Amino acid sequence: MKQYLLLIGFALIVASPLVAQISPSGAAPKGHPNPSGSGWKPLFTSDLSDAGFPKGVWSMDDGGVLTATADKAIWTAIPYDDFVLDLLFKTADGTNSGVVVHASDTTNWIPNSVEIQIADDYAKKWADSPTNWQCGAFFGHQAASKQRLVKKPDEWNRYTITCQGKMIYVVLNNQLVNTIDLSKFTSAKTNPDGSAVPEWLSKAPADLPLHGYIGLQGKHAGAPIYFRNLKIKAL
């Protein structure tokens, strides 16, 4: 019995670094959190006075719906480390947008951040694109585990994005659709699955800082995007 217990203890010691690498909190999220609890706050104030964006591009209406008139991102005033971000989004016909995390340079954010893709996967242009360009994907790098879980245009969807160290978890409409280990993405040209990285993503994700701003992509590809109920909790 003593030898048996010692073997179990040894196995736990060996396995514990792997568990920590997979999920610093001990378990990947299985669904959406309750964003009304302690530690949660709005990502932006209703007047957007704590947000960074070109004047006149982004606005929030009386119902709390945030949208943009041009392809310019909106950014948090402060950078974040580990956090949980919970929000609702609605696409239009042909929408291509995204939630941007770990942005160390908001002026040149595309190669200096991680984008969790939002797209109208029912539009032919995006339906025919690589799966790592579709909704729930780590854009250009890793597809969601399920496609077309996003609802059709004009219906509200829910996203929860959890960033903990090198791990990012994406929950879309109450299903975990992406578990991203940034440490595996060591190349700026080839993804771990062998697929090619878009040339404009010129930095290896494994090398990106984990301290950065959070942003939302604006009216990209000529189609609008709508957000509401944006809440964040620092971890």
Side-chain angles (χ1 to χ4, degrees):
M1 177 62 74
K2 184 177 180 180
Q3 289 179 326
Y4 180 72
L5 292 174
L6 286 172
L7 285 172
I8 292 175
F10 178 75
L12 288 173
I13 290 171
V14 171
S16 59
L18 180 61
V19 173
Q21 181 183 8
I22 292 174
S23 175
S25 66
K30 295 181 179 179
H32 298 296
N34 177 4
S36 62
S38 175
W40 288 92
K41 68 174 187 177
L43 186 66
F44 302 118
T45 58
S46 59
D47 62 1
L48 303 182
S49 59
D50 60 348
F53 60 94
K55 185 177 180 180
V57 171
W58 286 86
S59 63
M60 186 179 293
D61 67 18
D62 293 340
V65 177
L66 178 67
T67 193
T69 58
D71 188 8
K72 298 293 182 180
I74 185 171
W75 300 100
T76 56
I78 60 172
Y80 287 86
D81 295 303
D82 292 350
F83 61 86
V84 182
L85 175 65
D86 190 68
L87 58 87
L88 298 180
F89 72 86
K90 182 172 66 173
T91 65
D93 291 334
T95 289
N96 183 310
S97 184
V99 179
V100 183
V101 300
H102 298 325
S104 56
D105 182 347
T106 57
T107 301
N108 184 31
W109 63 267
I110 291 176
N112 292 293
S113 64
V114 170
E115 181 182 355
I116 306 303
Q117 177 75 333
I118 292 174
D120 169 22
D121 290 346
Y122 301 91
K124 180 175 173 54
K125 183 175 183 179
W126 309 125
D128 293 345
S129 295
T131 53
N132 61 16
W133 286 36
Q134 295 175 3
C135 204
F138 170 18
F139 180 79
H141 294 287
Q142 181 170 291
S145 59
K146 298 179 181 179
Q147 278 68 54
R148 289 201 177 185
L149 189 59
V150 65
K151 298 176 183 179
K152 292 184 177 181
D154 297 323
E155 296 184 60
W156 287 102
N157 300 268
R158 189 172 178 183
Y159 246 168
T160 301
I161 298 169
T162 303
C163 293
Q164 294 177 301
K166 291 282 189 180
M167 301 301 299
I168 300 175
Y169 303 99
V170 182
V171 175
L172 172 60
N173 293 333
N174 214 36
Q175 294 191 46
L176 180 66
V177 296
N178 222 328
T179 298
I180 303 156
D181 184 349
L182 294 175
S183 67
K184 294 181 178 180
F185 293 83
T186 57
S187 172
K189 294 185 178 181
T190 306
N191 291 311
D193 65 1
S195 61
V197 176
E199 61 181 11
W200 57 89
L201 300 177
S202 56
K203 295 185 178 181
D207 297 333
L208 296 176
L210 300 178
H211 177 76
Y213 297 88
I214 300 171
L216 307 172
Q217 193 173 17
K219 189 179 180 180
H220 183 58
I225 178 69
Y226 305 92
F227 298 96
R228 65 182 174 92
N229 294 12
L230 297 112
K231 298 284 190 70
I232 189 167
K233 181 179 182 178
L235 299 176

